[in-house]
Amino acid sequence: MSGVDIYALAKRLWPINRSITGDGVRETLRIIKEQLPTLLIHELPSGTPVFDWNIPKEWRVRDAYIIAPCGTKFCEFKKNNLHLVGYSTPVRATLSLSDLKKNLYTLPDQPNAIPYITSYYEERWGFCLKHEDFLKLVDGKYEIFIDSELFDGSLTYGELFIPGELKDEVFLSTYVCHPSMANNELSGPCVTTFIAKELLKKNRKYSYRIVFVPETIGSIAYLSQNIDQLKSKVIAGFNVSCVGDNRAYSYLPSRCGSTLSDLVAKHVLRNIDPSYSIYSWGDRGSDESQYCAPGVDLPIASIMRTKYGQFPEYHTSLDDLFSVVTPPGLEGGFEALWRAIEALEQHCFPKVTVFCEPQLGKRGLYPTLSTKSGNPEVRLMTDLITWSDGHRSLIEIADLCSCPVWDLYPIMEKLGEHGLIKAT
Amino acid sequence: MSGVDIYALAKRLWPINRSITGDGVRETLRIIKEQLPTLLIHELPSGTPVFDWNIPKEWRVRDAYIIAPCGTKFCEFKKNNLHLVGYSTPVRATLSLSDLKKNLYTLPDQPNAIPYITSYYEERWGFCLKHEDFLKLVDGKYEIFIDSELFDGSLTYGELFIPGELKDEVFLSTYVCHPSMANNELSGPCVTTFIAKELLKKNRKYSYRIVFVPETIGSIAYLSQNIDQLKSKVIAGFNVSCVGDNRAYSYLPSRCGSTLSDLVAKHVLRNIDPSYSIYSWGDRGSDESQYCAPGVDLPIASIMRTKYGQFPEYHTSLDDLFSVVTPPGLEGGFEALWRAIEALEQHCFPKVTVFCEPQLGKRGLYPTLSTKSGNPEVRLMTDLITWSDGHRSLIEIADLCSCPVWDLYPIMEKLGEHGLIKAT
Amino acid sequence: MSGVDIYALAKRLWPINRSITGDGVRETLRIIKEQLPTLLIHELPSGTPVFDWNIPKEWRVRDAYIIAPCGTKFCEFKKNNLHLVGYSTPVRATLSLSDLKKNLYTLPDQPNAIPYITSYYEERWGFCLKHEDFLKLVDGKYEIFIDSELFDGSLTYGELFIPGELKDEVFLSTYVCHPSMANNELSGPCVTTFIAKELLKKNRKYSYRIVFVPETIGSIAYLSQNIDQLKSKVIAGFNVSCVGDNRAYSYLPSRCGSTLSDLVAKHVLRNIDPSYSIYSWGDRGSDESQYCAPGVDLPIASIMRTKYGQFPEYHTSLDDLFSVVTPPGLEGGFEALWRAIEALEQHCFPKVTVFCEPQLGKRGLYPTLSTKSGNPEVRLMTDLITWSDGHRSLIEIADLCSCPVWDLYPIMEKLGEHGLIKAT
């Protein structure tokens, strides 16, 4: 998989104004459906109760800007959709600078960044701008123009089911509610799209259920519709977010911390990048909070590049497709997730079929001359055999052998052909 | 609670000649009963078998001293009750210095300290004095006078029962057998008295059973009378000793090491003083040895200031109410124990009542504007919620949230009022 | 036990040409049987299937050497049996130097060492020599002479059963297939012989089963004949190898890692030599691979001096009875194994017979005067008592008391005499 292809999809999705509802989400899912034709698109009406929440009104925005006393337009939504506070109500007004300022948001510590601000559950309006531009504003009358609507519409999400040999499911979730930001969050839906494409090319042991939802309300809505199904079928899964920059690998556990997903994620990341960052459940901040909530308790962990909240560009206009997210960054994110999926597919408890060491020599698998020095390949084979007691998983065995689990796949295959090992 | 009040009680009890039996214990308990009118005072006759032991004879002492060749009195019991070896038999004799020396005890390494020596189970007599005074003794005839008695009397102890909502009991034990020494041991009975007074002021979930006993023989006697009762009812408790100096906090585990008392003691001390001393069961030396003995196995841990045996003044006349035990020292000892008792009272396994995160915003518990920076108070609330799965205790949750459990009490109350959490 | 006696046996066995079959094994076992008259000697015919293997042909060698172009003999088997590759087929040929070299083995990194090479399961021939001698070989015709045979004979091993009070067995295994090398492996059979002699002198709680087998094929053969018996009876045991040099102590775990044998081995070695080397199952390389194979899973650990593969002389002519194996080295190997066997014999779960601390004073086991300083011997006794709850083994208690388990044997005896402790 080349990161260039994933990057191309990210560039195409970049300008769309995504939020937790609205046409931006629909357009995003439509483009993803071009890549994944079996993607189903669901609509949940505003007001639908979902656990402790209700689906909010849908937000539509056509245009928004401010005209300065000198007549120049700024904070133009059409130039950068971060300029408008998410879910801003419609406004047409003329305000003094001091009144306007009550509705302006900046980041004094990052004067060249437009902050990302939303107000989903309290009706208000506002504009976001660079602090360096904010400082240049002069006294006078400002014309505010926000052509938006909050109305009874629906919340939109996508769902893709890829059947496998087993009914047991691997669950992937990513979110499509962020406007023009790159690592958090165009990287998640883009990498997930290509993971799905790759899965569709092969035979799979497990079935895969992949959702593209708005964060928090979307995952809560999805869970409220599917919780029993998910609890009975999902054996592992990942929340896919922040998988696009090339600066780090990160792991955030499930709430339980020791699910199969955790085991796999830690093994894969340790073997890809021993210096990967290990976060705790206390550092959570995305949909894993819902999937692993008490009583929900799905086995969902997170494999990331640099985690949300941990990079300076986070939730600002600086989180872009130029200096933050790159093709190698996306490719690394894809690679880590794919290694994890492979490890799930290969997950088993190997069991040797004979008592004592098998005689590998008569099968051509062992050197016939016994000398002082050993052979690392043969050693790895005998190590795999000695741990194959039917009680240790292949991943645990890889850890015991101090090697990545993928080094064991060809040996498992060879020993299986000779009838010496069974994958129980 | 002010340490000054506890200190005043200690000053009043200071001069009394306590031992494992006798009028000193009775007088001490009488004064404590002034503070705790429902205190019951029990007498167990000499000779009563208590497990592997028998209640010893009662010891009464009216006076004791030595007259030097020059005619001056020294080692006067009435000036310092440590001068007389505990349980000394009556003597009237004239001895040469060399014969006298066989019955004199000093501490060459602490020449200005009178040591504390007892001989409960072997009849002998002796005097204790400062090594610097011992060195000044000159040859000649010494008159020995000990007006004491060992007779069939009884062993005295106090017991206070404070009923709570539940029949389950918290057990506190402290000892009243040490003559004029301060940290070990007037601090224990004094702090325990004020803990009991504080408990009597409030509604309690648990019942409390508090005993004031002579060390070792007293706790063995109490156990031999009440073991079945204690084993069926006591859910936690502490041996209260060395809680009066202001130099350190210390924890000594139960023999098991992982009882609720241990969990609470470690949590409280870690949050009061991260540099608190952690001892092991191998360092035990007080009544926990009996309460946690094999087959007894009560959940009793120790919360202390500076542990017995670990301060230079230990078991000498230097363990006083001036340089060792102070009002702030006693107040800190009280505080730590009280925090532990509160943590027991609040002990529960919280369980959130909704699936996924509750919508805190609609209840005014969450900021309506989503910005880059978080809110630590809201974070602590959502952390408490996410861990409230009914399987983790509130103390474990506090540890997971890296905060003292007492920071969670008001949040538990607020979430309880909103029906979002139950204390199971 | 003096290491000198063990060393004398090693010197006597040294010149014999041992291999996995043949008269060298028989002669070795015959000499051991002089020391252990009840040793049974078994023969298993060539071709017998043993799990995944078959007993190989027997190898007999009468003589072997090379004659150089100048007429001098070298690589003389009769001078050093390492000169001939183990299981070499018979040859009579005249070869050019370049053809000869295809069958010569040397160690360029250890030019003064003859390597130890075998080819049990592929028919070939070869000679081993010092690399410094190899470099002196000149062009010309070389006469090769190997008077050997591979024929349907049998595999020979020894088995000694020493009955004890219980049917439960301790299993010891060592190997007799190495030609003239000292630490790996004459030390194992020699030390094991003297362990057996010592066992025969005393009453034993456990029965002992001790086998002298060729490595790998011998242990596999023995297991294939006795696996059900061994699995039902063996409660602990050791593979005895590399117990003769005086440079280190080493532990290699069972595959499980936490059997009684592991507990004992680690305790003994930690207390004999705190700097002992701890290996992992990944470092295995002897018959423990068979005894602990999946499905076999006997509780067999290894107590060694310097482990095979970890000393420079390993598997060369430099592993000798002069600079490597010494009387003190053998004595230390014996001592460690004997301490382990004693610890197995003493293994129990002590249980105190009274509630609370027993009154040691009335039994003369406790000082009658209570002073500030303690008594370490009395402390160890009370520590043993406090941990004797019937749930902790004597070895675990020794660890809790930070002492070798052998320090507790006399205290257990004394407390037992006073009826205060039972060994459950």
Side-chain angles (χ1 to χ4, degrees), chain A residues 52-53 110 255 282 284 312, chain B residues 357 359 362-363 379 383:
Chain A
D52 193 47
W53 304 60
Q110 291 180 286
R255 198 173 67 90
R284 77 201 174 282
Chain B
E357 291 189 325
Q359 193 184 4
K362 70 184 182 191
R363 298 174 177 94
R379 187 74 197 181
D383 280 353

Side-chain angles (χ1 to χ4, degrees), chain C residues 212-355:
Chain C
F212 300 81
V213 292
E215 207 179 4
T216 306
I217 186 67
S219 53
I220 292 171
Y222 187 77
L223 278 167
S224 79
Q225 310 268 315
N226 298 283
I227 187 165
D228 294 338
Q229 170 88 345
L230 291 166
K231 289 192 69 155
S232 69
K233 294 212 172 139
V234 173
I235 58 108
F238 302 99
N239 187 54
V240 187
S241 169
C242 297
V243 285
D245 72 317
N246 204 19
R247 297 180 286 197
Y249 283 98
S250 308
Y251 158 71
L252 191 132
S254 71
R255 196 173 68 91
C256 155
S258 60
T259 68
L260 178 56
S261 310
D262 293 288
L263 184 70
V264 162
K266 284 188 281 189
H267 179 85
V268 165
L269 290 174
R270 186 166 57 243
N271 282 283
I272 285 180
D273 175 8
S275 67
Y276 79 106
S277 299
I278 301 176
Y279 291 95
S280 72
W281 181 248
D283 302 309
R284 76 199 175 286
S286 180
D287 286 331
E288 70 282 351
S289 299
Q290 316 309 332
Y291 297 127
C292 301
V296 180
D297 288 318
L298 295 178
I300 304 299
S302 300
I303 288 174
M304 293 171 280
R305 303 301 310 255
T306 306
K307 180 184 168 287
Y308 41 81
Q310 298 292 317
F311 51 102
E313 304 88 353
Y314 170 70
H315 271 200
T316 75
S317 56
L318 302 181
D319 180 2
D320 61 26
L321 283 173
F322 309 99
S323 57
V324 176
V325 165
T326 59
L330 291 161
E331 189 164 324
F334 175 91
E335 192 70 23
L337 274 162
W338 188 253
R339 287 284 193 201
I341 286 171
E342 273 187 328
L344 290 172
E345 289 279 320
Q346 297 278 349
H347 177 60
C348 66
F349 295 81
K351 193 162 165 34
V352 66
T353 57
V354 300
F355 279 117

Side-chain angles (χ1 to χ4, degrees), chain A residues 16-18 21-28 58-60 156:
Chain A
I16 300 170
N17 180 48
R18 278 166 293 275
T21 62
D23 289 334
V25 181
R26 288 188 192 95
E27 174 67 3
T28 298
E58 184 172 330
W59 184 50
R60 180 178 297 151
T156 315

